[in-house]
Amino acid sequence: MEGWTVERYEVAREREWNEFNSRSRNATFLTDRRYMDYHADRFTDHSLIARKNGKILALLPADITADGVLHSHRGLTYGGWIMPPRHFDAAAMMTLWDVMTYYCRQSDIKGLDYKPLPHIFAAAPSGEDIYALFRSGARLTECQISAAIRLSDNPGFNQGRRQRLKKALATGVIVEQATDENAWRDFYCMLQQCLADRHDAAPVHSLDEMLLLHSRFPANIQLWVARLDGEMLAGSVIYISEKVVHSQYIATSPEGRRLSMISPLFDKLIQLSAGGKFGTGVDYFDFGTSNEDHGLYLNESLYEQKASMGATGVPYERYSVMF
């Protein structure tokens, strides 16, 4: 472990962090500090920077709670060790894990709650941390199931979904990107109502937070809507990373549900993703998870809706290890 160190992130390291994050093989814009820190007041940040001979080799987006547990940042869907594009193998990860464990024990950190990056988001295979978790005796504490389409081998909509798409298209629906603030406000109102009525839930982000993040990452965070005679009937906020277009939020009005307006909306988004609209390296369209209670409950009707558009399962895992 000679030459290896782990240190706590400081704001003065923001540029250094973001530069490394941008060239990593398993990071997205969500682990850019400009995204992470929008809700800095809600969490006690305790992100880690690992170095060898002074050079950054890995980053861990993290926060800490009063019980002494270090968490893969709870403001993010995922957040395992961010690794360099090359020359970092399983042996290096095991060394890093030992250095991290020593740091945690010295800092009176009692455990680690860890959310690795789902494999579809990585630019290259990056499962070294899963191996290190196994070697350290980590326990799987959560497994949610997402639904994603591999764009190079897309099976397409099933028969029932194709019929709903045909009927929806016959209405003259228009699917387009919405760029003005009023459209975001209209979508947010529809989203609030949809989540409350159908799932007894509320959006994770406030409208102001959505607008702030969109302003910081306009190419990565976009709103696409389905309109009929000018009225917004369905919409999705999509997160665009190097390998994945992810549907962060989906909402429909009652009339939009009756007319199945998500069918033309996602038909268009999937076609654009496959056609390179959101980047030539995009490999997957991800609809997100369909779970509650840490994955123990599956919303089968919601998952079936995503599967009807050609998607299959991707696990979003979570592990716990004590020091």
Side-chain angles (χ1 to χ4, degrees), residues 9-24:
Y9 168 80
E10 299 176 350
V11 174
R13 302 296 187 192
E14 178 178 357
R15 174 179 289 184
E16 194 177 19
W17 176 289
N18 287 342
E19 287 177 351
F20 184 91
N21 187 77
S22 68
R23 54 186 174 83
S24 167

Side-chain angles (χ1 to χ4, degrees), residues 149 151 154 157 165 174-178 187 222-226 234-240 244-251 261-279 282 284-287 309:
I149 296 169
L151 298 169
N154 180 8
F157 288 7
L165 173 62
I174 294 174
V175 176
E176 60 187 3
Q177 183 181 359
F187 171 78
Q222 297 181 12
L223 171 61
W224 285 76
V225 299
S236 179
V237 174
I238 57 172
Y239 277 22
I240 304 164
V244 179
V245 175
H246 169 77
S247 181
Q248 181 73 8
Y249 289 111
I250 306 168
M261 285 302 174
I262 65 164
S263 298
L265 174 65
F266 283 113
D267 180 60
K268 179 79 167 183
L269 288 173
I270 293 164
Q271 287 185 41
L272 292 174
S273 299
K277 166 69 175 178
F278 305 121
V282 171
Y284 293 91
F285 189 93
D286 180 40
F287 289 97
M309 291 185 267

Side-chain angles (χ1 to χ4, degrees), residues 21 36-37 55 138 160 229 263 287 294 318:
N21 187 77
M36 286 181 61
D37 294 340
K55 180 182 178 182
D229 298 326
S263 298
F287 289 97
H294 304 285
R318 189 170 193 161

Side-chain angles (χ1 to χ4, degrees), residues 152-212:
S152 64
D153 188 27
N154 180 8
F157 288 7
N158 67 17
Q159 183 177 0
R161 182 62 61 183
R162 289 197 303 271
Q163 290 173 347
R164 290 191 285 273
L165 173 62
K166 183 177 180 180
K167 290 179 180 179
L169 290 174
T171 67
V173 60
I174 294 174
V175 176
E176 60 187 3
Q177 183 181 359
T179 56
D180 63 281
E181 188 170 314
N182 286 334
W184 281 84
R185 293 184 183 278
D186 291 345
F187 171 78
Y188 195 80
C189 289
M190 183 170 65
L191 176 66
Q192 285 181 306
Q193 193 65 52
C194 187
L195 289 176
D197 291 346
R198 296 171 65 82
H199 306 291
D200 193 25
V204 173
H205 299 92
S206 69
L207 174 61
D208 287 343
E209 287 171 342
M210 276 193 190
L211 292 172
L212 172 66

